[in-house]
Amino acid sequence: MDFTFLGADPRFLYLRRRLETDGHSITAEGGHIIAPPAMETGLPYWRDEIYIIENAALTAEGALELLMRRSNRAMMGAEALLAGYGRIGRFLAGMLSSLGVHVTVAARSRSDRAAARAVGCRAVELTAIPRKFDIVVNTIPAPVLAGDYGGALCLELASAPGGWADGVAVLKAPGLPGLYAPKAAADVMAEAIYRVIEEEENGKQ
């Protein structure tokens, strides 16, 4: 198969190598179009459910590495707030808890709060967040947080506009899988691309 790349993405260097290793060709035009998810054009690999799950897991792992590297304290015994309990939040909550972090989840959904409590996390409504933490991680693309929560290390994983409405110093980490583990992220992308192509071909039969 022929593939044509549009735009720039840290994963593309490794993705090109993977596709060529698999026997495919990279062309300037006329191939299956591959573009960053934000462009929403070409093969819609970003809608593939397995891709979404695996990409979320890589995002959570990258976030953990970033927190460990940028924090001025050990993870064990730290108090962490996770705003949002979607795929990334759930993966990251598990990783943090395994290191001895005391995790509080803030979520709109009562079922999400129940799920967080079921795995040993504290859970609060977004309107009832305590004011002091060592770490705050946001995964909600809406301004639901305020302040730095007593000098916490604040990490933004959500897309714009992000979770903070004020001018708090926030560590922003867009495109984390491609920055943290570009080869693994490219392999996840490649497998999703193959699945999307297979589904499209099966749909034409």
Side-chain angles (χ1 to χ4, degrees):
M1 288 183 284
D2 293 338
F3 292 93
T4 300
F5 284 79
L6 298 180
D9 189 297
R11 299 169 290 185
F12 280 0
L13 172 63
Y14 295 92
L15 180 59
R16 286 172 179 267
R17 292 176 183 173
R18 166 66 189 274
L19 295 175
E20 289 174 337
T21 297
D22 290 346
H24 306 298
S25 299
I26 309 302
T27 62
E29 58 183 18
H32 293 287
I33 294 175
I34 300 173
M39 292 182 68
E40 294 188 350
T41 189
L43 288 169
Y45 60 87
W46 60 88
R47 296 177 186 163
D48 178 79
E49 185 67 19
I50 297 174
Y51 169 84
I52 293 170
I53 293 170
E54 294 179 340
N55 201 58
L58 286 175
T59 299
E61 186 176 325
L64 177 60
E65 188 273 341
L66 191 55
L67 290 171
M68 295 178 72
R69 179 160 42 86
R70 296 294 292 269
S71 178
N72 60 5
R73 58 157 298 150
M75 291 291 102
M76 183 174 62
E79 295 287 343
L81 169 69
L82 293 182
Y85 201 58
R87 292 179 180 87
I88 295 172
R90 291 177 191 231
F91 285 132
L92 185 54
M95 294 175 184
L96 289 170
S97 295
S98 72
L99 293 175
V101 177
H102 305 297
V103 178
T104 296
V105 171
R108 290 189 181 93
S109 167
R110 294 171 66 181
S111 61
D112 282 347
R113 296 195 298 272
R117 286 192 294 269
V119 295
C121 299
R122 291 181 60 205
V124 298
E125 297 183 19
L126 289 170
T127 55
I129 298 174
R131 300 307 306 167
K132 184 171 175 54
F133 290 95
D134 300 303
I135 295 166
V136 177
V137 181
N138 179 61
T139 66
I140 301 172
V144 296
L145 300 171
D148 66 358
Y149 297 89
L153 172 59
C154 298
L155 176 61
E156 181 66 84
L157 296 181
S159 55
W164 274 268
D166 45 25
V168 174
V170 176
L171 180 59
K172 297 183 179 180
L176 195 51
L179 297 174
Y180 166 67
K183 184 179 184 303
D187 286 335
V188 166
M189 186 186 291
E191 294 300 327
I193 288 168
Y194 291 155
R195 284 191 296 270
V196 169
I197 291 174
E198 182 179 5
E199 289 173 3
E200 288 183 349
E201 291 178 347
N202 288 340
K204 295 176 182 178
Q205 294 178 0

mmCIF file of all heavy atoms in Angstrom, residues 158-196:
data_model
loop_
_atom_site.group_PDB
_atom_site.id
_atom_site.type_symbol
_atom_site.label_atom_id
_atom_site.label_comp_id
_atom_site.label_asym_id
_atom_site.label_seq_id
_atom_site.Cartn_x
_atom_site.Cartn_y
_atom_site.Cartn_z
ATOM 1 N N ALA A 158 -5.484 17.951 29.345
ATOM 2 C CA ALA A 158 -6.657 18.155 28.499
ATOM 3 C C ALA A 158 -6.344 19.096 27.349
ATOM 4 O O ALA A 158 -5.416 19.914 27.404
ATOM 5 C CB ALA A 158 -7.809 18.708 29.330
ATOM 6 N N SER A 159 -7.141 18.991 26.309
ATOM 7 C CA SER A 159 -7.021 19.906 25.175
ATOM 8 C C SER A 159 -7.601 21.263 25.556
ATOM 9 O O SER A 159 -8.250 21.417 26.603
ATOM 10 C CB SER A 159 -7.745 19.335 23.958
ATOM 11 O OG SER A 159 -9.103 19.042 24.268
ATOM 12 N N ALA A 160 -7.386 22.263 24.714
ATOM 13 C CA ALA A 160 -7.877 23.623 24.972
ATOM 14 C C ALA A 160 -9.391 23.610 25.173
ATOM 15 O O ALA A 160 -10.084 22.831 24.519
ATOM 16 C CB ALA A 160 -7.496 24.531 23.802
ATOM 17 N N PRO A 161 -9.884 24.410 26.109
ATOM 18 C CA PRO A 161 -9.192 25.471 26.844
ATOM 19 C C PRO A 161 -8.480 25.001 28.111
ATOM 20 O O PRO A 161 -7.919 25.830 28.829
ATOM 21 C CB PRO A 161 -10.340 26.409 27.214
ATOM 22 C CG PRO A 161 -11.504 25.491 27.416
ATOM 23 C CD PRO A 161 -11.336 24.407 26.379
ATOM 24 N N GLY A 162 -8.476 23.714 28.400
ATOM 25 C CA GLY A 162 -7.821 23.222 29.600
ATOM 26 C C GLY A 162 -8.670 23.412 30.831
ATOM 27 O O GLY A 162 -9.817 23.864 30.758
ATOM 28 N N GLY A 163 -8.121 23.053 31.985
ATOM 29 C CA GLY A 163 -8.926 23.012 33.193
ATOM 30 C C GLY A 163 -8.833 24.202 34.118
ATOM 31 O O GLY A 163 -9.629 24.315 35.043
ATOM 32 N N TRP A 164 -7.856 25.110 33.886
ATOM 33 C CA TRP A 164 -7.671 26.246 34.789
ATOM 34 C C TRP A 164 -8.214 27.516 34.156
ATOM 35 O O TRP A 164 -7.891 27.849 33.018
ATOM 36 C CB TRP A 164 -6.206 26.435 35.128
ATOM 37 C CG TRP A 164 -5.738 25.601 36.276
ATOM 38 C CD1 TRP A 164 -5.707 25.948 37.589
ATOM 39 C CD2 TRP A 164 -5.228 24.258 36.206
ATOM 40 N NE1 TRP A 164 -5.207 24.906 38.343
ATOM 41 C CE2 TRP A 164 -4.904 23.862 37.529
ATOM 42 C CE3 TRP A 164 -5.016 23.354 35.163
ATOM 43 C CZ2 TRP A 164 -4.383 22.615 37.826
ATOM 44 C CZ3 TRP A 164 -4.504 22.095 35.451
ATOM 45 C CH2 TRP A 164 -4.189 21.740 36.771
ATOM 46 N N ALA A 165 -9.023 28.250 34.916
ATOM 47 C CA ALA A 165 -9.609 29.486 34.407
ATOM 48 C C ALA A 165 -8.748 30.694 34.726
ATOM 49 O O ALA A 165 -8.949 31.768 34.174
ATOM 50 C CB ALA A 165 -11.002 29.691 35.009
ATOM 51 N N ASP A 166 -7.774 30.545 35.642
ATOM 52 C CA ASP A 166 -6.968 31.689 36.051
ATOM 53 C C ASP A 166 -5.524 31.542 35.566
ATOM 54 O O ASP A 166 -5.204 30.643 34.795
ATOM 55 C CB ASP A 166 -7.016 31.853 37.573
ATOM 56 C CG ASP A 166 -6.825 30.513 38.297
ATOM 57 O OD1 ASP A 166 -6.212 29.614 37.688
ATOM 58 O OD2 ASP A 166 -7.273 30.383 39.445
ATOM 59 N N GLY A 167 -4.652 32.415 36.023
ATOM 60 C CA GLY A 167 -3.292 32.442 35.521
ATOM 61 C C GLY A 167 -2.316 31.596 36.304
ATOM 62 O O GLY A 167 -1.162 32.002 36.492
ATOM 63 N N VAL A 168 -2.726 30.455 36.762
ATOM 64 C CA VAL A 168 -1.858 29.568 37.532
ATOM 65 C C VAL A 168 -0.756 29.004 36.623
ATOM 66 O O VAL A 168 -0.999 28.717 35.447
ATOM 67 C CB VAL A 168 -2.684 28.416 38.145
ATOM 68 C CG1 VAL A 168 -1.777 27.397 38.823
ATOM 69 C CG2 VAL A 168 -3.689 28.963 39.143
ATOM 70 N N ALA A 169 0.436 28.852 37.175
ATOM 71 C CA ALA A 169 1.536 28.229 36.436
ATOM 72 C C ALA A 169 1.246 26.742 36.288
ATOM 73 O O ALA A 169 1.254 25.994 37.270
ATOM 74 C CB ALA A 169 2.855 28.454 37.177
ATOM 75 N N VAL A 170 0.973 26.341 35.079
ATOM 76 C CA VAL A 170 0.569 24.960 34.799
ATOM 77 C C VAL A 170 1.557 24.337 33.825
ATOM 78 O O VAL A 170 1.954 24.959 32.840
ATOM 79 C CB VAL A 170 -0.856 24.912 34.203
ATOM 80 C CG1 VAL A 170 -1.238 23.493 33.824
ATOM 81 C CG2 VAL A 170 -1.864 25.479 35.195
ATOM 82 N N LEU A 171 1.950 23.114 34.104
ATOM 83 C CA LEU A 171 2.813 22.354 33.198
ATOM 84 C C LEU A 171 1.922 21.716 32.138
ATOM 85 O O LEU A 171 1.132 20.820 32.441
ATOM 86 C CB LEU A 171 3.568 21.287 33.988
ATOM 87 C CG LEU A 171 4.532 20.374 33.215
ATOM 88 C CD1 LEU A 171 5.610 21.200 32.530
ATOM 89 C CD2 LEU A 171 5.146 19.340 34.153
ATOM 90 N N LYS A 172 2.017 22.183 30.904
ATOM 91 C CA LYS A 172 1.174 21.680 29.831
ATOM 92 C C LYS A 172 1.915 20.596 29.061
ATOM 93 O O LYS A 172 3.101 20.738 28.762
ATOM 94 C CB LYS A 172 0.753 22.811 28.904
ATOM 95 C CG LYS A 172 -0.107 23.860 29.602
ATOM 96 C CD LYS A 172 -0.581 24.931 28.640
ATOM 97 C CE LYS A 172 -1.466 25.948 29.363
ATOM 98 N NZ LYS A 172 -1.955 27.005 28.452
ATOM 99 N N ALA A 173 1.191 19.539 28.729
ATOM 100 C CA ALA A 173 1.833 18.392 28.077
ATOM 101 C C ALA A 173 0.996 17.894 26.907
ATOM 102 O O ALA A 173 0.503 16.758 26.911
ATOM 103 C CB ALA A 173 2.050 17.275 29.100
ATOM 104 N N PRO A 174 0.824 18.713 25.859
ATOM 105 C CA PRO A 174 0.087 18.232 24.686
ATOM 106 C C PRO A 174 0.900 17.196 23.915
ATOM 107 O O PRO A 174 2.131 17.235 23.897
ATOM 108 C CB PRO A 174 -0.110 19.506 23.858
ATOM 109 C CG PRO A 174 1.062 20.366 24.232
ATOM 110 C CD PRO A 174 1.311 20.091 25.691
ATOM 111 N N GLY A 175 0.210 16.259 23.292
ATOM 112 C CA GLY A 175 0.890 15.257 22.474
ATOM 113 C C GLY A 175 1.845 14.387 23.258
ATOM 114 O O GLY A 175 2.890 13.979 22.740
ATOM 115 N N LEU A 176 1.489 14.076 24.490
ATOM 116 C CA LEU A 176 2.420 13.399 25.384
ATOM 117 C C LEU A 176 2.884 12.027 24.884
ATOM 118 O O LEU A 176 4.074 11.710 25.002
ATOM 119 C CB LEU A 176 1.792 13.265 26.774
ATOM 120 C CG LEU A 176 2.727 12.916 27.930
ATOM 121 C CD1 LEU A 176 3.924 13.845 27.976
ATOM 122 C CD2 LEU A 176 1.967 12.962 29.248
ATOM 123 N N PRO A 177 2.019 11.177 24.328
ATOM 124 C CA PRO A 177 2.526 9.865 23.869
ATOM 125 C C PRO A 177 3.653 9.981 22.853
ATOM 126 O O PRO A 177 4.646 9.258 22.931
ATOM 127 C CB PRO A 177 1.286 9.203 23.256
ATOM 128 C CG PRO A 177 0.140 9.865 23.924
ATOM 129 C CD PRO A 177 0.572 11.280 24.147
ATOM 130 N N GLY A 178 3.507 10.914 21.905
ATOM 131 C CA GLY A 178 4.531 11.080 20.889
ATOM 132 C C GLY A 178 5.824 11.646 21.425
ATOM 133 O O GLY A 178 6.897 11.382 20.882
ATOM 134 N N LEU A 179 5.744 12.416 22.499
ATOM 135 C CA LEU A 179 6.941 12.993 23.098
ATOM 136 C C LEU A 179 7.609 12.018 24.058
ATOM 137 O O LEU A 179 8.832 11.942 24.125
ATOM 138 C CB LEU A 179 6.581 14.285 23.843
ATOM 139 C CG LEU A 179 6.023 15.424 22.980
ATOM 140 C CD1 LEU A 179 5.586 16.581 23.858
ATOM 141 C CD2 LEU A 179 7.065 15.880 21.970
ATOM 142 N N TYR A 180 6.802 11.274 24.795
ATOM 143 C CA TYR A 180 7.327 10.374 25.813
ATOM 144 C C TYR A 180 7.844 9.068 25.216
ATOM 145 O O TYR A 180 8.944 8.607 25.542
ATOM 146 C CB TYR A 180 6.234 10.078 26.848
ATOM 147 C CG TYR A 180 6.534 8.910 27.746
ATOM 148 C CD1 TYR A 180 7.576 8.966 28.667
ATOM 149 C CD2 TYR A 180 5.785 7.738 27.659
ATOM 150 C CE1 TYR A 180 7.861 7.882 29.489
ATOM 151 C CE2 TYR A 180 6.060 6.663 28.479
ATOM 152 C CZ TYR A 180 7.098 6.733 29.394
ATOM 153 O OH TYR A 180 7.380 5.663 30.200
ATOM 154 N N ALA A 181 7.070 8.469 24.348
ATOM 155 C CA ALA A 181 7.432 7.166 23.777
ATOM 156 C C ALA A 181 7.032 7.132 22.310
ATOM 157 O O ALA A 181 6.075 6.450 21.938
ATOM 158 C CB ALA A 181 6.748 6.035 24.552
ATOM 159 N N PRO A 182 7.740 7.894 21.440
ATOM 160 C CA PRO A 182 7.305 8.018 20.044
ATOM 161 C C PRO A 182 7.252 6.705 19.282
ATOM 162 O O PRO A 182 6.377 6.512 18.441
ATOM 163 C CB PRO A 182 8.325 8.988 19.446
ATOM 164 C CG PRO A 182 9.505 8.945 20.363
ATOM 165 C CD PRO A 182 8.938 8.688 21.718
ATOM 166 N N LYS A 183 8.173 5.789 19.548
ATOM 167 C CA LYS A 183 8.159 4.523 18.810
ATOM 168 C C LYS A 183 6.952 3.681 19.205
ATOM 169 O O LYS A 183 6.248 3.134 18.343
ATOM 170 C CB LYS A 183 9.438 3.723 19.042
ATOM 171 C CG LYS A 183 9.497 2.443 18.211
ATOM 172 C CD LYS A 183 10.771 1.682 18.422
ATOM 173 C CE LYS A 183 10.839 0.469 17.501
ATOM 174 N NZ LYS A 183 9.678 -0.446 17.663
ATOM 175 N N ALA A 184 6.707 3.561 20.499
ATOM 176 C CA ALA A 184 5.543 2.801 20.958
ATOM 177 C C ALA A 184 4.256 3.460 20.467
ATOM 178 O O ALA A 184 3.317 2.774 20.033
ATOM 179 C CB ALA A 184 5.542 2.699 22.486
ATOM 180 N N ALA A 185 4.208 4.795 20.521
ATOM 181 C CA ALA A 185 3.025 5.510 20.055
ATOM 182 C C ALA A 185 2.817 5.318 18.552
ATOM 183 O O ALA A 185 1.682 5.211 18.078
ATOM 184 C CB ALA A 185 3.155 6.994 20.383
ATOM 185 N N ALA A 186 3.915 5.256 17.793
ATOM 186 C CA ALA A 186 3.814 5.023 16.353
ATOM 187 C C ALA A 186 3.306 3.620 16.058
ATOM 188 O O ALA A 186 2.523 3.419 15.123
ATOM 189 C CB ALA A 186 5.173 5.245 15.694
ATOM 190 N N ASP A 187 3.737 2.640 16.838
ATOM 191 C CA ASP A 187 3.252 1.273 16.641
ATOM 192 C C ASP A 187 1.754 1.183 16.927
ATOM 193 O O ASP A 187 1.011 0.499 16.220
ATOM 194 C CB ASP A 187 4.016 0.303 17.544
ATOM 195 C CG ASP A 187 5.435 0.035 17.044
ATOM 196 O OD1 ASP A 187 5.677 0.188 15.840
ATOM 197 O OD2 ASP A 187 6.295 -0.337 17.872
ATOM 198 N N VAL A 188 1.307 1.878 17.965
ATOM 199 C CA VAL A 188 -0.120 1.925 18.275
ATOM 200 C C VAL A 188 -0.888 2.551 17.119
ATOM 201 O O VAL A 188 -1.954 2.075 16.712
ATOM 202 C CB VAL A 188 -0.352 2.719 19.581
ATOM 203 C CG1 VAL A 188 -1.824 3.081 19.757
ATOM 204 C CG2 VAL A 188 0.144 1.912 20.784
ATOM 205 N N MET A 189 -0.325 3.616 16.556
ATOM 206 C CA MET A 189 -0.946 4.289 15.417
ATOM 207 C C MET A 189 -0.987 3.376 14.192
ATOM 208 O O MET A 189 -2.010 3.297 13.485
ATOM 209 C CB MET A 189 -0.191 5.576 15.104
ATOM 210 C CG MET A 189 -0.838 6.423 14.022
ATOM 211 S SD MET A 189 0.198 7.854 13.550
ATOM 212 C CE MET A 189 0.078 8.820 15.042
ATOM 213 N N ALA A 190 0.118 2.686 13.924
ATOM 214 C CA ALA A 190 0.188 1.815 12.749
ATOM 215 C C ALA A 190 -0.866 0.718 12.820
ATOM 216 O O ALA A 190 -1.558 0.437 11.826
ATOM 217 C CB ALA A 190 1.582 1.198 12.636
ATOM 218 N N GLU A 191 -0.998 0.088 13.979
ATOM 219 C CA GLU A 191 -1.981 -0.987 14.112
ATOM 220 C C GLU A 191 -3.398 -0.455 13.916
ATOM 221 O O GLU A 191 -4.247 -1.129 13.318
ATOM 222 C CB GLU A 191 -1.840 -1.656 15.480
ATOM 223 C CG GLU A 191 -0.531 -2.409 15.675
ATOM 224 C CD GLU A 191 -0.339 -3.518 14.656
ATOM 225 O OE1 GLU A 191 -1.334 -4.126 14.232
ATOM 226 O OE2 GLU A 191 0.820 -3.766 14.267
ATOM 227 N N ALA A 192 -3.659 0.754 14.401
ATOM 228 C CA ALA A 192 -4.977 1.362 14.203
ATOM 229 C C ALA A 192 -5.219 1.661 12.727
ATOM 230 O O ALA A 192 -6.329 1.451 12.214
ATOM 231 C CB ALA A 192 -5.095 2.639 15.031
ATOM 232 N N ILE A 193 -4.191 2.146 12.039
ATOM 233 C CA ILE A 193 -4.311 2.424 10.604
ATOM 234 C C ILE A 193 -4.651 1.146 9.849
ATOM 235 O O ILE A 193 -5.540 1.135 8.979
ATOM 236 C CB ILE A 193 -3.006 3.052 10.084
ATOM 237 C CG1 ILE A 193 -2.877 4.492 10.594
ATOM 238 C CG2 ILE A 193 -2.942 3.012 8.562
ATOM 239 C CD1 ILE A 193 -1.512 5.101 10.393
ATOM 240 N N TYR A 194 -3.976 0.061 10.164
ATOM 241 C CA TYR A 194 -4.255 -1.213 9.493
ATOM 242 C C TYR A 194 -5.682 -1.673 9.761
ATOM 243 O O TYR A 194 -6.363 -2.185 8.859
ATOM 244 C CB TYR A 194 -3.269 -2.287 9.957
ATOM 245 C CG TYR A 194 -1.838 -2.066 9.497
ATOM 246 C CD1 TYR A 194 -0.771 -2.599 10.224
ATOM 247 C CD2 TYR A 194 -1.545 -1.340 8.353
ATOM 248 C CE1 TYR A 194 0.546 -2.405 9.812
ATOM 249 C CE2 TYR A 194 -0.237 -1.147 7.931
ATOM 250 C CZ TYR A 194 0.805 -1.687 8.665
ATOM 251 O OH TYR A 194 2.103 -1.502 8.255
ATOM 252 N N ARG A 195 -6.148 -1.505 11.002
ATOM 253 C CA ARG A 195 -7.522 -1.922 11.319
ATOM 254 C C ARG A 195 -8.541 -1.084 10.550
ATOM 255 O O ARG A 195 -9.535 -1.622 10.035
ATOM 256 C CB ARG A 195 -7.779 -1.812 12.828
ATOM 257 C CG ARG A 195 -7.142 -2.914 13.652
ATOM 258 C CD ARG A 195 -7.637 -2.901 15.086
ATOM 259 N NE ARG A 195 -7.255 -1.696 15.795
ATOM 260 C CZ ARG A 195 -6.121 -1.561 16.486
ATOM 261 N NH1 ARG A 195 -5.252 -2.566 16.552
ATOM 262 N NH2 ARG A 195 -5.842 -0.431 17.112
ATOM 263 N N VAL A 196 -8.312 0.226 10.459
ATOM 264 C CA VAL A 196 -9.240 1.101 9.743
ATOM 265 C C VAL A 196 -9.282 0.736 8.263
ATOM 266 O O VAL A 196 -10.361 0.659 7.653
ATOM 267 C CB VAL A 196 -8.842 2.581 9.928
ATOM 268 C CG1 VAL A 196 -9.630 3.477 8.973
ATOM 269 C CG2 VAL A 196 -9.069 3.016 11.368
#
